[in-house]
Amino acid sequence: MLQLEDSKCDLLITGAGPAGLMAATWAARCGIHARIVDKRGTKIFNGQADGLQCRSLEIFDSFGFADRVCKESNHMLEICLWNPDETGRIRRTDRIPDTIPGISRFQQVVLHQGRIERFFLDSLKEYSDIEIERGVLPEQLEIDHSKAEDERAYPIKVKIRHLDDDEATPVQNGTNVPDGLFRSSLAKDDTDDLIRKSRGKEGTTEVIRTKYMIGCDGAHSWTRRQLDFHMQGEQTDFIWGVLDIIPITNFPDIRMRCAIHSAESGSIMIIPRENRLVRFYIQLNEVNSAGQQVDRSKITPEIILKAAQRIMSPYKLTYDYCDWWTAYQIGQRVGNSFSCDDRVFLAGDAVHTHSPKAGQGMNVSMQDTYNLGWKIGLVVKGLAKRSILRTYQSERRRIAQDLIAFDHRFSRLFSGRPAKDAADEAGISMAEFKDAFEKGNMFASGLAVDYGASILVAKPGDSADQGDGTDVGPIINSIDKLVGKQDLAGNIKLGMRFPSYQVLNQSDARPWHFGQYLKSDGRFRLIVLAGNLKDGKQWKRLQGFGESLAKPDSFLHRFTPSAKPVDSVIEILVIHSAPRKQVELLDLHEIFHPFDEKRGWDYEKVFVDDVSYHEGHGEAYKNFGVDKESGCVVIARPDQYVGWIGELEDVRDIDRYFSEVLIPQI
Ligand code: FAD
């Protein structure tokens, strides 16, 4: 077999599903040399995951493509609960909002995974020359552990094989209805990806030496097996029947998300989708880990439809068009470790699997690499210390554990038989189910994520818990530990994502959701809630803060390469609360609206919490829980999570925060 010349890269990603594509997107935005390989010859074109939480949409917005999702997706606003009455007939018993009102500027939407992948691919093309190398199989992984801490080393060696077309074409489910690997007649602009681009490398092998690697290669992860890491959890697997059809039915809530519990025939989750499609989820059966009890290959769309008809009776359900279906087998498990030497990482389904009914798989998988991608990007560029990489496991493994616990609780309530009356102890209380659904909505939105104390989150707590209860050492400095002042901002929580409310641009009065300015471009942000600038004392505080930041030896200058603009590592954004018309932008210290010889003043850094002409008042200070007179300062990480909160005089603490995380450039 022909062997190509050895090559080098900063980051190798195995698997181009949602987790891998998110990692590649960060690499593109941070400008590092990344390669992403997938054993499959094409992207997926329909089916698989489809729910997008509001946090995922916020993330997409920070990369600039949430608008495409919002336009094409179905927006889910209400959930209807259907339960059997005393005669056993199903009735609508409740309606609840799908997304808790007010928690985000986005609400949950549904759009199939193939389209989401499309948006990532287009974004990669726009910002980089990273292309998915399809039909590529990694065959061997070697890690030189002795070089793990050497920042310049390429300690990972991966041998890959470029497959021929037959090897790169996945096997279908054995029917003529597509199961997600072929093109939907409803999907758009995927033509380029239908035919694998031949690179003339088929049948060759290549050795890649890389600084970092992320295994995003799904539930049967090859990378995980090479590391000899394991999945821990339930030994039982469930089989889920999933049908994407255009239903012909007299069921009145077919365009609502519904959870239907029938008296004796099981339960179904209905998810109304784009293009008149509707997804039906039915838990069909349990199998043990050896897959013995049910032969998954015997399941057909007709079997899934019949189960749906029984549950939804007396309403009728048929279809003429089926877009996709699957019989998908999954357990509830979490990987025992997410990282080897903080050089090779695992993300997504490779380290957590669970049922599809809460719509979490794709979201949590993307959010794993959303947490990790910028960290690797900044370390590779020599801007941040390698120690920040240890926070990946401590932050994300706990989320995976919470997810599995949530799935456990919810599974029992979703799949159990409804109780006939209060004395029916074997049955499930429908009041309890509704309560769990409502409470679960906060978790399911992705906004409950609350990262623990670490060098990136200055909050109380001094253990470097890796998400499995083991303390692995000083990822935080426990001597004289830096702790942010949470009481200055009641609703901006240390460890949680910075919330967004409408503010106005000081220079042109245009309203913006502030979150739109927290772009995913690898920069930390110092968000200066400058308070009432009409008050002379407060004005002086802000100008004094500006002078400290502008000093040549300030953290801002020390951690920014001298040839780069002053805001290229840490961007300063100001929101003040004085009346807009009584403040002049150019009166503020120059550091808050830096000057560039070619582009003039920067007009996109100072905002005001004031009433707009056409879109009301965002009441940002009130919503942030920040005092309108005296304000505060917040450090937001490149992924928008809050790292520290303090006062305008706390420059030394800000310096300490960045000194733990960043590498001096001068
Ligand atoms: P994946 O999307 O699985 O991506 C992994 C990628 O790695 C794939 O592109 C694969 O080709 C590639 N790969 C695998 N092994 C290798 C290797 N050795 N070398 C190189 N590349 C490799 N979720 C829901 O919420 N609802 C559903 O109905 C639903 N249905 C599903 C049906 C199927 C058949 C599958 C497989 C998954 C389904 N999921 C569903 C789960 C959802 O798709 C995942 O949770 C989500 O895609 C996780 O993203 P990921 O990037 O971690 O993994």
Side-chain angles (χ1 to χ4, degrees), residues 467-596:
D468 58 1
T470 9
D471 188 331
V472 293
I475 57 174
I476 43 176
N477 179 3
S478 51
I479 310 150
D480 193 18
K481 193 169 95 67
L482 180 64
V483 174
K485 297 176 180 168
Q486 182 61 75
D487 53 332
L488 294 176
N491 301 326
I492 301 173
K493 302 280 188 207
L494 287 161
M496 298 182 82
R497 73 92 166 86
F498 191 91
S500 176
Y501 298 99
Q502 181 181 286
V503 292
L504 311 183
N505 185 311
Q506 174 66 40
S507 68
D508 63 8
R510 180 171 168 185
W512 290 92
H513 240 282
F514 187 65
Q516 292 174 279
Y517 273 87
L518 305 181
K519 299 277 178 228
S520 288
D521 52 16
R523 290 187 288 179
F524 281 86
R525 292 198 167 78
L526 206 54
I527 301 167
V528 186
L529 292 148
N532 177 11
L533 297 185
K534 279 321 285 172
D535 176 74
K537 207 166 119 226
Q538 188 64 14
W539 176 260
K540 276 203 194 121
R541 288 182 77 205
L542 180 72
Q543 297 299 72
F545 184 59
E547 274 158 30
S548 307
L549 302 187
K551 284 184 187 155
D553 63 345
S554 81
F555 60 84
L556 203 57
H557 292 290
R558 286 206 321 281
F559 297 118
T560 306
S562 53
K564 296 273 182 182
V566 67
D567 63 353
S568 57
V569 177
I570 304 165
E571 181 180 39
I572 304 169
L573 296 174
V574 174
I575 309 173
H576 70 85
S577 63
R580 178 180 58 83
K581 294 174 189 166
Q582 294 179 29
V583 172
E584 294 297 335
L585 173 72
L586 300 187
D587 288 347
L588 267 68
H589 194 290
E590 180 178 336
I591 202 81
F592 300 124
H593 50 92
F595 185 76
D596 176 278

Side-chain angles (χ1 to χ4, degrees), residues 13-22 37-44 47-51 113 117 132-139 163 170 173 179-181 215-223 225 240-244 273 279-281 296 324-330 347-366 368-369:
I13 302 160
T14 50
L21 289 169
M22 176 66 84
V37 300
D38 197 294
K39 69 175 181 185
R40 219 155 48 189
T42 62
K43 74 187 276 293
I44 64 161
Q48 293 197 203
D50 63 354
Q113 191 174 324
E117 294 187 6
I132 316 304
E133 298 174 45
R134 299 199 187 273
V136 172
L137 189 70
E139 288 191 326
L163 305 176
N173 260 349
D179 70 353
L181 304 169
C216 303
D217 42 359
H220 305 284
S221 171
W222 173 86
T223 316
R225 276 180 278 126
W240 285 82
V242 190
L243 260 190
D244 281 349
R273 294 263 311 270
R279 172 166 288 194
F280 295 81
Y281 276 122
R296 189 163 60 104
W324 179 80
W325 71 278
T326 192
Y328 153 60
Q329 181 174 333
I330 205 84
D349 277 13
V351 269
H352 40 75
T353 59
H354 49 86
S355 83
K357 70 193 161 310
Q360 297 294 298
M362 175 165 59
N363 293 284
V364 178
S365 298
M366 290 188 297
D368 284 346
T369 42

Side-chain angles (χ1 to χ4, degrees), residues 371-388:
N371 177 287
L372 177 62
W374 63 271
K375 295 174 183 170
I376 293 180
L378 296 191
V379 170
V380 165
K381 286 168 81 178
L383 294 174
K385 296 180 181 170
R386 251 182 64 71
S387 49
I388 66 169

